Amino acid sequence: MLVVVIAVAVAVVLVVAWLLSRRRTPDGVDSFRRQIDALSPEARRPTIDKIKPSGDGDDPLDGNQSEGNES
Amino acid sequence: MARDLAIDLGTANTLVYMKGRGIVLNEPSVIALNRQTGEVLATGREAWQMIGRTPGYIVAVRPLRGGAITDFEITERMIRLLLQRVGVSRFTRPKVVICVPSAITEVERRAVTDAARRAGAADANLIEQPMAAAIGADLPIDEPVGNMVIDIGGGTSETAVISLGGIVALEAVRVGSFDIDAAIQNFVRREHGIAIGERTAEEIKVAIGSADPTPDENQAEIRGRDLMTGLPKTVLLTPEEVRFAIEDVVSSIVSSVIRCLSKAPPELSQDFLVRGMYLVGGGGLLRGLAERIERETEVPVRMSNVPLEAVVLGAGHVIEHYEALKGMFMGARR
């Protein structure tokens, strides 16, 4: 009896895990849409706004650019 | 828990963007070593100041040339030290996105990702520089329109047509602003008989270098070592001479832009006439270059608002939206 209960529980867990993994896998349309949305000017604004002019010799961890150089 | 990082591993400079914080490091890609012990003496700006001015036992080197790793071990050590400076340790291993030239080979790709992983990254993915530059330059690459970006770095120049988040046409040459410096060095040696260092050549480029005649041009006084006598010597250099010296390099860059334009689909080509092309990268700051490209292509050329940081900002945006944009990594689309 116990073996049957364990087998059923394992089967249920496997089915649930499989369903969750299917739900997490985006199809082509969804992932393309998410990529395009993430590239929109509104989505990019917070990143691009992080660049602020500052003086030389700043603490490198202060979140500002320190000096313009060619890359 | 380490914050994830985006790295613009340039031939000239390395910039690091930290997720949620912005650009946290901007240093020359230079490392100074003790030649005898192999010990690292300095990195970044401090090492850059040593170039050409070191005693025999110290060597200050750029471990990247033409956008590619020329010395794997030194590059790895440089990356490790730079990551340590932004807080990465063996206990805090961040995900890292690294910008690389689009034309790098599979072997070079592996070298970059291996160097980053061995330097402390938990996972390292690569993104093409022109794509990152277009994201960072705030071009509307999410729309079905032609966006053209010209990224002129220290060792590579890349032109890409981008639409709907993907590269449509691409042209890359392993020529950049270091080649301009080298051309100036060679010219001064050949025509004036004096030897100058690479930093002096860069200063000449910044002071009087141009790709096209510009208003208010001045001569520059150049100091170097006379090749005949070995004594210090001063000569005057004109902007025309510098233009002549760098003509081959500039022509090569302009030709690659023209080749990229010719690869673009006609539907996107017409967009360039209205929207123009965007110039990013330190090499793009050469006076008269935008005008020269515009004259030869008859397409308007505009300078990005953030020419020096566009690439790392673009990669930084990818690290901020890692899950949504991981399809843009090199290799993910193939």
Side-chain angles (χ1 to χ4, degrees):
Chain A
M1 185 61 188
L2 185 63
V3 173
V4 172
V5 170
I6 290 171
V8 169
V10 168
V12 168
V13 168
L14 288 175
V15 167
V16 169
W18 179 69
L19 285 173
L20 285 175
S21 71
R22 265 191 67 193
R23 197 195 295 175
R24 272 202 298 270
T25 308
D27 61 19
V29 176
D30 281 350
S31 76
F32 179 68
R33 178 48 48 204
R34 282 200 307 152
Q35 181 175 317
I36 293 297
D37 288 346
L39 290 173
S40 68
E42 297 76 36
R44 278 186 280 171
R45 185 59 45 212
T47 308
I48 288 161
D49 283 349
K50 283 202 177 77
I51 189 160
K52 301 181 192 86
S54 71
D56 196 11
D58 288 340
D59 175 2
L61 280 172
D62 69 0
N64 292 336
Q65 77 173 102
S66 58
E67 183 183 303
N69 277 312
E70 59 190 53
S71 58
Chain B
M1 182 70 183
R3 287 172 185 256
D4 295 335
L5 301 170
I7 302 175
D8 175 8
L9 192 61
T11 309
N13 293 284
T14 299
L15 287 87
V16 179
Y17 177 102
M18 185 177 280
K19 186 176 180 179
R21 297 188 77 155
I23 298 170
V24 294
L25 189 134
N26 181 352
E27 294 271 326
S29 305
V30 184
I31 186 165
L33 301 160
N34 183 322
R35 205 191 285 267
Q36 285 142 13
T37 62
E39 189 185 0
V40 176
L41 302 176
T43 58
R45 195 164 292 116
E46 202 184 345
W48 178 79
Q49 284 167 344
M50 296 180 183
I51 290 178
R53 293 166 181 263
T54 53
Y57 74 96
I58 298 176
V59 57
V61 292
R62 295 183 185 273
L64 296 129
R65 283 281 164 198
I69 290 178
T70 52
D71 190 317
F72 181 82
E73 194 194 328
I74 293 178
T75 304
E76 185 189 318
R77 291 169 76 177
M78 188 182 76
I79 294 175
R80 180 179 291 136
L81 289 166
L82 291 173
L83 293 186
Q84 278 174 7
R85 286 177 59 180
V86 297
V88 174
S89 69
R90 68 175 65 179
F91 304 109
T92 57
R93 297 172 70 87
K95 282 201 286 278
V96 172
V97 171
I98 305 170
C99 307
V100 290
S102 45
I104 69 167
T105 64
E106 187 64 41
V107 174
E108 289 166 343
R109 267 193 234 176
R110 179 69 66 84
V112 175
T113 52
D114 283 356
R117 287 197 182 105
R118 291 169 65 152
D123 190 18
N125 284 292
L126 307 180
I127 183 168
E128 287 113 332
Q129 276 169 354
M131 174 60 84
I135 298 172
D138 211 9
L139 304 188
I141 59 167
D142 56 319
E143 296 173 19
V145 294
N147 296 282
M148 194 153 174
V149 63
I150 307 163
D151 177 15
I152 302 172
T156 56
S157 299
E158 301 183 74
T159 310
V161 176
I162 298 168
S163 177
L164 279 172
I167 292 177
V168 179
L170 179 74
E171 192 64 37
V173 283
R174 293 209 176 199
V175 166
S177 54
F178 281 140
D179 298 280
I180 292 175
D181 299 345
I184 293 171
Q185 265 183 299
N186 291 337
F187 178 84
V188 171
R189 173 182 280 267
R190 197 177 59 241
E191 299 298 321
H192 293 278
I194 67 168
I196 57 169
E198 62 180 88
R199 283 180 56 184
T200 305
E202 187 183 358
E203 283 164 14
I204 295 169
K205 175 185 71 185
V206 171
I208 61 167
S210 62
D212 230 20
T214 56
D216 306 326
E217 293 190 327
N218 296 309
Q219 291 186 329
E221 212 174 60
I222 309 304
R223 294 179 191 89
R225 178 171 50 83
D226 191 308
L227 291 168
M228 296 295 285
T229 64
L231 300 172
K233 187 181 172 186
T234 302
V235 295
L236 279 176
L237 205 61
T238 66
E240 292 80 18
E241 284 180 294
V242 178
R243 267 198 298 281
F244 176 77
I246 67 175
E247 176 55 28
D248 286 350
V249 181
V250 172
S251 294
S252 171
I253 294 169
V254 176
S255 299
S256 77
V257 174
I258 293 170
R259 284 198 300 275
C260 188
L261 277 168
S262 67
K263 283 182 183 176
E267 290 290 351
L268 297 180
S269 285
Q270 57 177 335
D271 294 339
F272 306 144
L273 291 170
V274 181
R275 311 172 73 86
M277 303 185 273
Y278 281 80
L279 202 49
V280 301
L285 296 174
L286 179 69
R287 268 189 296 276
L289 184 59
E291 291 80 2
R292 169 80 178 266
I293 296 172
E294 191 166 318
R295 180 164 57 79
E296 294 206 18
T297 61
E298 296 179 5
V299 174
V301 178
R302 300 186 173 102
M303 199 71 195
S304 161
N305 292 331
V306 282
L308 305 165
E309 299 86 6
V311 171
V312 80
L313 279 178
H317 183 69
V318 173
I319 209 84
E320 298 278 2
H321 296 260
Y322 191 85
E323 283 303 315
L325 297 178
K326 63 185 180 187
M328 301 181 87
F329 295 144
M330 285 177 97
R333 299 180 298 277
R334 294 178 184 96

